[in-house]
């Protein structure tokens, strides 16, 4: 995993702040490959809420991560717990690493 322990802590803290303590977050994509270089930070978040509520929380999370992680590209995929999985949800759940 190509995130520092500090970055992992920041991500976990901000996800909990935005979505609550029951939210789950996984890192997926190129940052899970220790042999690769560069790449954006792809995060998969699974949480409870209405679609409108989750969108608002996603935007707040993105802003908080930009402030705390700096000018890194962060891509968020938010899945409403209990809703049918999309292909990106299945991929992130299968290949992602829990934070």
């Amino acid at each position: 995993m190509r995130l520092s322990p500090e970055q992992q802590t920041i991500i976990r803290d901000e996800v909990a702040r935005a979505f609550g303590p029951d939210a789950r977050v996984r890192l997926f994509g190129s940052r899970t490959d220790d042999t690769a270089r560069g790449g954006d930070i792809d995060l998969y978040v699974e949480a409870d809420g209405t679609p409108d509520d989750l969108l608002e929380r996603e935007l707040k999370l993105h802003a908080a991560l930009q402030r705390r992680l700096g000018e890194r590209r962060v891509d968020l995929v938010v899945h409403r717990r209990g809703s049918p999985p999309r292909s990106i949800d299945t991929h992130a759940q299968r290949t992602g690493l829990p934070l």
Side-chain angles (χ1 to χ4, degrees):
M1 176 183 310
R2 290 184 298 115
L3 289 178
S4 71
E6 179 183 4
Q7 289 170 321
Q8 292 176 49
T9 298
I10 288 169
I11 291 167
R12 280 192 303 268
D13 290 350
E14 292 301 334
V15 167
R17 184 173 289 125
F19 290 95
D22 293 332
R24 294 187 184 153
V25 61
R26 300 176 79 82
L27 175 72
F28 71 103
S30 63
R31 289 275 177 150
T32 61
D33 182 355
D34 290 334
T35 63
R37 298 192 61 180
D40 56 357
I41 299 173
D42 297 309
L43 298 174
Y44 173 80
V45 178
E46 185 176 11
D48 294 315
T50 66
D52 288 342
D53 181 49
L54 292 178
L55 177 58
E56 184 177 321
R57 292 170 185 251
E58 178 181 349
L59 295 172
K60 287 180 182 179
L61 174 60
H62 193 270
L65 291 175
Q66 289 297 307
R67 280 193 304 276
R68 295 202 55 202
L69 294 174
E71 292 299 316
R72 300 186 189 281
R73 183 166 173 197
V74 177
D75 290 334
L76 296 172
V77 174
V78 177
H79 176 73
R80 185 168 55 101
R81 196 171 282 139
S83 65
R86 303 162 294 189
S87 60
I88 188 69
D89 300 321
T90 302
H91 173 73
Q93 290 171 351
R94 188 174 25 100
T95 65
L97 302 174
L99 290 180

